Amino acid sequence: MTRTRSPEGALTKRCTCTDPDTGKRLGSRCPRLRRPGGGWHPTHGVWGYQLELPVRPARPRRQLRRSGFDSRDTAAAELRHARALLDVADGDTHVAAQIGDLLHSCQPGTPLPDRDAVAARVRAGVPASVPTTTGEYLNAWLDGRRGLAEKTVRGYSDHIRLYLIPHLGAIPIQSLRTAHIEGMFTAIAVKQDEIRAARASSDPEIRANVKGVRPMGASSTHRLYATVRKALNDAVVRAKLIPTNPALGVELPSAKRPKARVWTAKAVEHWQSTGRRPSPVMVWMPQQAGQFLDHAQRHDIVLYAMFLLILHRGLRRGEACGLRDHDVDLDAGYLTVVEQITTVGYTPIVRPVKSDAGDRVIPLGPKTIAALRSYLDMRRRWQQVNDTGWPDSGRFFVRPDGKAWHPQTISDRFDHLVATAGLPPVRLHDLRHCAATYLRHGGADMKEVQETLGHSTIGLTSDTYTTVILELERSGADAVADLIPRSDTAA
C-alpha cells in the first residue's frame, strides 16, 4: 500500500520515476518507495496528503491536494492543520463551505491560513474566506473605504500601486511580518539615494535619466507608513485577518518640519554662487516681497490682486482659487474662507476647507481692500467684453474669460514672475510664511497669527510660521550688552 487512508483525509507518498515501457510517471506505484521489508524508503519520493472539502449545493466535489513534504510527520501536521480549520465551522455548512473556498484557493508552497485568525473572523460574524495575499487584501481594503476625500483615495491608491504591492503584494497576509515592511522601506531608501546621486552627477546622461523624478522625502515616507499602518490595523480590527499589526514595530527616521530661513543678503549670495537654497522653506525680506508685488503689478496684472491677498493675509492657494463672490465684503472689510479648489492628479475639485479652524473670517486692511476694488473694476471690464459669453462661476478670482483658475496655473505663473523679477526663489505656499512672519513682527500676537492662517492649534503656528527676520532683530541684538555696566577701560 502506498496510501494511508482515514475518514479525515489521506496521506500519500509518490515520486517522479517513470515506466521504462510507457514513459509515464509511476507516482505512488513506484516499487522503490518501499524497502524490501515493506517499510517506507527514507529518501525516495515525497509525502503529501489529500482532504475532501465541503462543497456548496449543486457544486462538484473538490479536494485539497498538497505534496512536496520531506517527511510523513510534516505532511500529517499540515493535514491536521487543514482539518482544524474545517472544524472551526462547528457544523455550520455555510461557514464550512467558506473555509473550503479558503483552503481550495491556497497556492502550492504557500502556508495554510492561521486557524486562530479564521476562528476570530467566524466569531466576529464576518466571512471566513480571506484574500490569500497582502496585495489582494490591500485592493479589497481600498475598494471598501467609504466617505474619504478624493485626494485621500488618490494618495492611498498611489501608495498601494507604486510601493506596497510591488514590495509586499505577493506575501500571504497572515505571513506578513515587521521585517517585510522594514525591508520595503530600506529598499525605497536605497532607491531614493540612487535618484539623488544621479541628479547630482556630473554626467548629463545620468542626470537625464532622472529628469523630473523627485526623490521621496521624510514626510512622504511617513505618509506611506501611515497608509500601510491604517490598512493593516483594519486587517486586525475590522477584517480579523491577522492578530496584530506588523507595521507597529517599524521605526522610521523622524520627519521634522523643515525650518524656514530668511533670504538675507548672505543667503542670496550663497544661492547665486552655488544654486542651493538654505532650506526648502524660504521667506523673503519685506523689501523682496515689495519688489515681487511691484513686478507682478507690471507684468501680470490679471493675478496681481490674488498674489497680494495671499501675501497680505496668508491664504492657501486652494483657498484663494475657491474664494466666492459672496465670501468677500469689501465694504465691511473682511472675507470668509469656506471652500477651496484643490487637485487630484491634475483634476481640480471643489471641497470644504481642511478643518473647522480653516473655516474662518479674515479682516482686510485699507491697502488690501483698495487692490481688490481695482481688481473688481478690471473684472467688470472683462465681463463687458465677453457679454453673454461670461460664465456665472460665482468665484471671486477668475480668468479674463470668466472661468475659474486651475490651481497649478497659479503656481506656474508665480514661479515665472519670481524668476523674471530676479528674486531668490520661494514657493507660492511660502507667501503664507511671509505673511505670518510680517504679522508677528508687526506686533500681532501668536493667537491672531493662528486665526488668520486657519491653524487648528497655536503650537503648529509657533513651530512653523514664526521665522525671525534677522534684519529686524538687529535693533535688539545689543539689548543684553547694554544692560551690563562696564568700566571705561574694559575691552
Side-chain angles (χ1 to χ4, degrees):
M1 294 287 292
T2 59
R3 180 177 297 168
T4 303
R5 294 186 179 276
S6 82
E8 295 182 319
L11 295 173
T12 65
K13 193 175 189 187
R14 59 183 63 242
C15 67
T16 58
C17 295
T18 58
D19 188 314
D21 297 326
T22 65
K24 295 182 178 180
R25 286 190 177 183
L26 294 173
S28 61
R29 296 180 291 106
C30 178
R32 295 178 59 197
L33 291 173
R34 294 281 190 175
R35 292 187 293 191
W40 293 108
H41 194 288
T43 59
H44 190 74
V46 294
W47 284 94
Y49 68 87
Q50 61 188 46
L51 177 65
E52 202 76 20
L53 296 176
V55 295
R56 299 181 185 277
R59 297 286 182 87
R61 62 176 293 211
R62 56 184 178 174
Q63 290 183 325
L64 175 65
R65 294 174 177 268
R66 308 263 285 186
S67 63
F69 300 98
D70 293 334
S71 70
R72 186 181 189 280
D73 289 345
T74 306
E78 185 168 295
L79 176 58
R80 288 194 298 271
H81 184 170
R83 291 200 301 260
L85 282 165
L86 292 175
D87 289 343
V88 169
D90 194 25
D92 188 320
T93 57
H94 180 66
V95 173
Q98 290 181 356
I99 298 175
D101 295 339
L102 176 60
L103 289 171
H104 196 255
S105 67
C106 290
Q107 299 296 316
T110 60
L112 296 183
D114 180 75
R115 188 261 178 205
D116 291 340
V118 174
R121 289 177 61 81
V122 171
R123 288 195 300 271
V126 295
S129 54
V130 298
T132 58
T133 67
T134 300
E136 290 171 337
Y137 166 72
L138 289 170
N139 285 326
W141 172 77
L142 183 60
D143 290 342
R145 299 305 308 275
R146 297 290 182 270
L148 298 179
E150 291 181 58
K151 199 161 190 173
T152 302
V153 174
R154 174 64 180 265
Y156 283 158
S157 177
D158 287 348
H159 287 162
I160 291 171
R161 176 175 54 87
L162 297 176
Y163 302 104
L164 300 183
I165 286 182
H167 289 277
L168 308 175
I171 302 171
I173 185 70
Q174 291 86 0
S175 302
L176 189 65
R177 299 291 181 265
T178 300
H180 295 130
I181 303 171
E182 289 175 334
M184 174 187 72
F185 282 110
T186 299
I188 290 173
V190 169
K191 181 63 176 178
Q192 305 317 305
D193 289 343
E194 292 173 352
I195 293 172
R196 293 185 184 95
R199 294 180 69 178
S201 173
S202 58
D203 189 332
E205 291 187 7
I206 295 178
R207 293 199 305 272
N209 289 333
V210 293
K211 184 177 181 181
V213 179
R214 295 179 58 187
M216 178 183 287
S219 59
S220 297
T221 302
H222 277 259
R223 284 194 290 272
L224 173 61
Y225 173 68
T227 297
V228 68
R229 184 183 61 194
K230 170 60 177 170
L232 294 179
N233 197 54
D234 284 351
V236 175
V237 177
R238 299 174 62 186
K240 313 294 184 184
L241 288 175
I242 50 179
T244 59
N245 185 345
L248 298 181
V250 175
E251 294 184 1
L252 297 176
S254 62
K256 294 182 179 179
R257 193 179 295 273
K259 291 285 187 181
R261 296 287 182 259
V262 182
W263 277 120
T264 61
K266 198 71 175 178
V268 173
E269 181 183 346
H270 178 75
W271 164 69
Q272 289 173 336
S273 62
T274 65
R276 297 177 182 174
R277 306 185 191 192
S279 169
V281 180
M282 296 302 298
V283 174
W284 279 327
M285 299 290 286
Q287 299 89 333
Q288 294 161 334
Q291 184 181 340
F292 168 77
L293 289 177
D294 290 343
H295 185 75
Q297 189 173 22
R298 290 193 301 267
H299 297 280
D300 198 342
I301 191 61
V302 171
L303 283 174
Y304 163 70
M306 180 189 287
F307 292 140
L308 178 139
L309 178 62
I310 293 174
L311 188 53
H312 283 190
R313 299 278 72 195
L315 270 68
R316 299 175 177 88
R317 179 185 72 173
E319 293 171 345
C321 291
L323 204 61
R324 300 169 300 188
D325 275 325
H326 62 270
D327 294 331
V328 182
D329 190 336
L330 297 182
D331 294 329
Y334 69 88
L335 60 81
T336 306
V337 178
V338 178
E339 285 187 350
Q340 59 180 332
I341 298 179
T342 60
T343 58
V344 175
Y346 191 73
T347 303
I349 59 170
V350 179
R351 53 180 298 190
V353 291
K354 296 175 67 174
S355 64
D356 289 341
D359 188 338
R360 61 201 189 276
V361 176
I362 300 177
L364 302 174
K367 292 182 179 179
T368 307
I369 292 173
L372 296 181
R373 287 194 189 281
S374 296
Y375 162 75
L376 288 178
D377 289 341
M378 181 174 59
R379 197 183 74 173
R380 279 190 285 269
R381 293 194 295 271
W382 295 342
Q383 186 171 1
Q384 290 171 358
V385 171
N386 284 269
D387 196 17
T388 58
W390 184 266
D392 184 16
S393 69
R395 299 295 164 191
F396 184 80
F397 289 114
V398 293
R399 302 179 336 193
D401 61 4
K403 296 179 181 178
W405 286 101
H406 191 291
Q408 187 58 48
T409 302
I410 304 300
S411 294
D412 293 342
R413 298 268 283 262
F414 174 79
D415 292 341
H416 176 74
L417 285 171
V418 173
T420 56
L423 288 163
V426 299
R427 306 167 304 163
L428 177 60
H429 190 75
D430 290 339
L431 296 190
R432 274 171 61 82
H433 298 261
C434 294
T437 304
Y438 304 160
L439 271 170
R440 187 76 179 99
H441 290 282
D445 61 26
M446 196 62 69
K447 186 64 177 176
E448 183 180 345
V449 176
Q450 175 200 350
E451 292 175 349
T452 300
L453 296 176
H455 284 161
S456 56
T457 66
I458 200 167
L460 177 61
T461 310
S462 178
D463 292 343
T464 310
Y465 290 104
T466 55
T467 300
V468 177
I469 299 181
L470 299 181
E471 293 294 330
L472 299 182
E473 272 195 322
R474 290 182 178 176
S475 61
D478 267 345
V480 174
D482 292 341
L483 289 173
I484 302 174
R486 303 296 304 277
S487 66
D488 294 338
T489 58

